């Protein structure tokens, strides 16, 4: 191993260590005191409930662990968006689990909480996964009600999705394990089955104080909407249990007896580990993000037996396309090539840039994968499309549009991993969040923005300096440098994968060694949803 490899390895391992440390912190929710209060009430925390519910020793793929990171600081923050979501296994069946975290503002809904819940429902709906709601929430966080209540993608969309999933035959099970108030009361009751824990679970449209204020009736919350009331009088809930554990055991019993549904039929062979050591990715990926490297070195450490069947490998070389297997699943891979390559015409092509021939090749490859019913995996490390007169005269916009068209209309499931750069239209063409990947995860080395930090900072500086000069103000070189440093720091913060994960632009940040797990569990989930649409790209210029 050379010195450069060792430096890269140390840098990426440090980023992964920081990732694990940040995840441990966010997993504490509202902190140790808040957790202790839950235990004093005889309740498990959200993560403890999930750990108890899922099959022992099984994988759990957390979705949006860093939602809300660094946001709402004026209200004390909202770790993990106040709700834990992810794909797990219950009685051997894959399902989506949504568990309110009552240690964070009593499980109240912030704007990011609603966005995260909607993302969990979206994943369940498009993959036809059963969904389990572990309800323990004080309802809408009132100081921010205007940002969560009335709009299309706000709180009410949750219940609309309940109805849509029910009509689609997607199983929804709810357990009321704490508060469930106001509009939130509709979520468990719009599920197929609802259960409640005695002494801690309660459900009502208005609590005792609001009832007193509204109609003058004096009543306590337990009598108003406790477990006995809804299990014996109103019939709102189907089952009553004494403890969280008994309630979770019953959910497992329900899953034990569920029938099978049709599958999409994606091809899977016996899984095999890569022959090349995946841990070598740490040293292969340069810490200097503008430095070229061979993306094939990454791919061969992610795919089964380190075997890859390239498609048109001598043409359009700034994009790698080809077939492989990941944990046994057949996949079509579209990846940005980061090394500098020479085209057949003798032209040098920069790494990480999409050229006309590459876009044309990738569009055709995507069409082939749709024809063969092969899921697509996009590995992003992209600076954008090639610019300049030669590229424009060669029809880069037309070829780029062809790629975006084919990728957008793809009917096989798409999965995106952001390895490094994800800039501008390159993010779009390589299946960014706007293009409905079933899952999209980032490595700690990822950056998402319209352009790189250096380019953006210089552009913004020029605009601000020009504005000052237009007002007759002069700026010294020292002041200009200070302004550039300030702009760069602000922009670099927005480039961070944690900034993206906080806002759900990605579903999470992972150690590179978790990439195979994410893709495999994602395809397994997608296999629950038969493809019902035919592939059609509409009008496309050739």
């Amino acid at each position: 191993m050379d010195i450069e490899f060792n430096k890269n390895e140390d840098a990426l391992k440090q980023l992964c260590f920081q990732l694990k440390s940040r995840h441990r912190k966010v997993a504490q929710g509202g902190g140790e005191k808040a957790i202790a209060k839950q235990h004093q009430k005889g309740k498990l925390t959200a993560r403890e409930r999930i750990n108890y519910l899922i099959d022992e020793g099984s994988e759990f793929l957390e979705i949006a662990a860093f939602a809300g990171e660094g946001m709402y600081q004026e209200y004390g923050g909202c770790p993990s968006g106040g709700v834990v979501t992810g794909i797990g296994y219950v009685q051997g069946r894959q399902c989506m689990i949504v568990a309110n975290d009552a240690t964070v503002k009593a499980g109240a809904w912030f704007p990011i909480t609603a966005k995260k819940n909607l993302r969990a429902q979206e994943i369940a709906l498009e993959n036809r996964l059963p969904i389990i709601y572990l309800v323990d929430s004080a309802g809408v966080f009132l100081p921010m009600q205007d940002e969560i209540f009335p709009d299309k993608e706000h709180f009410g969309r949750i219940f609309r999705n309940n109805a849509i999933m029910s009509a689609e035959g997607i199983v929804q099970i709810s357990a009321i394990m704490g508060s469930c108030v106001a509009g939130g009361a509709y979520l468990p009751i719009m599920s197929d089955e609802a259960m409640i824990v005695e002494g801690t679970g309660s459900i009502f449209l208005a609590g005792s104080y609001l009832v007193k204020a509204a109609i003058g009736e004096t009543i306590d919350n337990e009598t108003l909407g406790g477990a006995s009331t809804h299990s014996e009088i109103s019939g709102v809930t189907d089952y009553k249990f004494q403890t969280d554990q008994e309630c979770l055991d019953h959910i497992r019993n329900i899953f034990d007896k569920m029938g099978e549904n049709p599958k999409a039929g994606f091809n899977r062979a016996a899984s095999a580990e890569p022959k090349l050591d995946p841990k070598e990715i740490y040293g292969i990926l340069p810490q200097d993000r503008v430095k070229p490297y061979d993306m094939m070195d990454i791919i061969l450490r992610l795919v089964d037996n380190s075997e890859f069947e390239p498609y048109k490998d001598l043409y359009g070389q700034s994009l790698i396309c080809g077939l492989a297997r990941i944990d046994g699943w057949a996949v079509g891979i579209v990846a940005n090539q980061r090394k500098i390559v020479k085209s057949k015409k003798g032209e040098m092509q920069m790494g990480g840039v999409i050229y006309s021939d590459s876009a044309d090749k990738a569009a055709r490859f995507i069409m082939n994968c749709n024809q063969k019913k092969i899921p697509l995996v996009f590995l992003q490390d992209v600076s954008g499309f090639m610019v300049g007169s030669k590229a424009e005269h060669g029809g880069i916009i037309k070829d780029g549009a062809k790629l975006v068209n084919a990728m957008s209309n793809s009917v096989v499931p798409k999965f995106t991993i952001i390895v490094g750069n994800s800039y501008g239209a390159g993010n779009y063409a390589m299946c960014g969040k706007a293009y409905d990947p079933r899952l999209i995860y980032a490595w700690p080395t990822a950056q998402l923005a319209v352009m790189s930090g250096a380019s953006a900072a210089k552009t913004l500086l020029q605009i601000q300096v020009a504005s000052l000069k237009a007002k007759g103000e002069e700026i010294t070189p020292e002041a200009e440098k200070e302004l550039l440093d300030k702009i760069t720091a602000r922009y670099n913060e927005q480039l961070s994968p944690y900034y993206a994960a906080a806002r759900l632009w990605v579903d999470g940040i992972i150690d590179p060694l978790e990439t195979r797990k994410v893709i495999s569990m994602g395809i397994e989930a997608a296999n629950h949803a038969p493809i019902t649409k035919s592939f059609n790209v509409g009008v496309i210029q050739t």
Side-chain angles (χ1 to χ4, degrees), residues 49-55 90 97 132 134 248 251-252:
R49 287 166 178 164
I50 291 173
N51 289 337
Y52 185 93
L53 176 63
I54 62 175
D55 297 343
V90 175
I97 303 172
I132 299 169
L134 305 180
L248 296 168
I251 295 175
R252 291 182 58 81

Side-chain angles (χ1 to χ4, degrees), residues 399-422:
D399 290 317
K402 189 189 304 181
L403 171 56
V404 171
N405 195 323
M407 183 270 300
S408 300
N409 285 295
S410 180
V411 296
V412 296
K414 299 170 290 193
F415 302 89
T416 301
I417 304 294
I418 303 176
V419 171
N421 301 332
S422 181

Side-chain angles (χ1 to χ4, degrees), residues 11 134 149 160 176-177 191 194 206 213 221 227 268 286 301 309 331 370 397 425 428 430 435 438 442 477 499 517:
L134 305 180
F149 170 67
R160 175 264 187 193
I176 302 158
M177 312 182 85
S191 299
N221 281 338
R268 191 178 198 184
R301 286 160 177 82
E309 302 172 25
V331 295
N370 275 270
I397 295 176
Y428 297 164
M430 293 294 292
Y435 295 85
R438 297 292 178 99
Y499 191 90
K517 165 190 161 182

